Amino acid sequence: MTTAVCFDLDGTLVHRTEPHETITRAVLADHGIEADDALVATAEERFRAAQNALEPNPFERSMRAVLDETGRDGDPEAMVETLRERAYATTTVPEAAADCLDALADDGPLGLVTNGTRDWQLGKLAHHGLAEYFEAVVASYEAGAHKPDPAPFDLLRDRLSADEYVMVGNDYEADVEGARAAGFVPVHYEDEDGPSFWATLRAMV
């Protein structure tokens, strides 16, 4: 029986080393905008609203909201590139997680089911050298809905043939309840489990 082991990305395989608000504030400063808490909140809230609604280019919409709020001239696309560079650079992959992927890739197909835009998430995988591990990657934008909606899980199943699907993720609603409802076997990852979690997962599947 073929088992496809699927992973969430943010908070499961890839972890932030700085809060997103700190990154946003630094990006604005890089582009000559001194941001107070209210302006950073404007950027963050506009991004979340755009992504939740599956609006195109949510990061660009966030930067445009800042420019509109401040009345400043600026290049939102350049601001997004700065944001991308800082966001990728301030994430890390636990060594135990990378070792687990390396081991599991020899045993069966691996998939990724992640909320976000495909290009941004694929870029994150490439930045950390993880893309080669996954036979199928599904981002919620291309599925037309975010986890816990079944659409991303269904699209992964369409792209990756297996007899059984396991979903490993840190968000209980999205990655456990959503996966279970979609017919996946959920495995809940919690930060405090650390390396022991990845060792246990290697032994389980």
Side-chain angles (χ1 to χ4, degrees):
M1 184 173 73
T2 303
T3 298
V5 184
C6 305
F7 293 85
D8 170 54
L9 186 60
D10 298 304
T12 301
L13 294 177
V14 173
H15 297 252
R16 289 179 181 167
T17 60
E18 294 183 6
H20 199 270
E21 292 83 357
T22 301
I23 297 167
T24 299
R25 191 185 303 274
V27 169
L28 298 182
D30 287 344
H31 288 266
I33 300 173
E34 293 187 16
D36 58 15
D37 291 346
L39 190 59
V40 171
T42 293
E44 295 291 304
E45 290 167 6
R46 185 65 187 94
F47 165 74
R48 284 192 294 270
Q51 179 159 281
N52 288 341
L54 295 168
E55 295 179 17
N57 305 315
F59 292 105
E60 184 176 331
R61 289 172 185 265
S62 172
M63 295 299 100
R64 287 188 184 279
V66 168
L67 295 175
D68 290 344
E69 182 80 11
T70 60
R72 298 285 297 270
D73 290 328
D75 183 347
E77 292 182 4
M79 295 168 74
V80 170
E81 280 309 303
T82 303
L83 178 63
R84 185 192 300 268
E85 291 170 6
R86 281 190 174 271
Y88 290 0
T90 54
T91 55
T92 186
V93 176
E95 184 177 353
D99 290 343
C100 182
L101 289 178
D102 202 44
L104 293 179
D106 292 333
D107 297 330
L110 302 184
L112 190 85
V113 187
T114 175
N115 283 346
T117 62
R118 184 172 178 84
D119 65 331
W120 191 277
Q121 300 299 70
L122 286 179
K124 202 176 298 176
L125 287 175
H127 177 81
H128 289 289
L130 299 180
E132 64 183 359
Y133 289 114
F134 299 103
E135 293 190 22
V137 173
V138 169
S140 58
Y141 261 67
E142 58 188 327
H146 302 302
K147 297 178 294 179
D149 190 280
F153 300 104
D154 291 343
L155 184 55
L156 187 284
R157 192 183 283 111
D158 289 342
R159 293 180 175 176
L160 189 61
S161 179
D163 300 305
E164 181 182 56
Y165 298 84
V166 173
M167 180 66 199
V168 182
N170 70 308
D171 187 309
Y172 194 84
E173 181 182 7
D175 301 316
V176 175
E177 294 179 347
R180 184 182 290 118
F184 285 53
V185 177
V187 178
H188 190 211
Y189 168 77
E190 296 182 275
D191 286 342
E192 56 265 29
D193 294 334
S196 64
F197 172 87
W198 299 106
T200 301
L201 182 65
R202 288 173 63 176
M204 281 175 49
V205 298

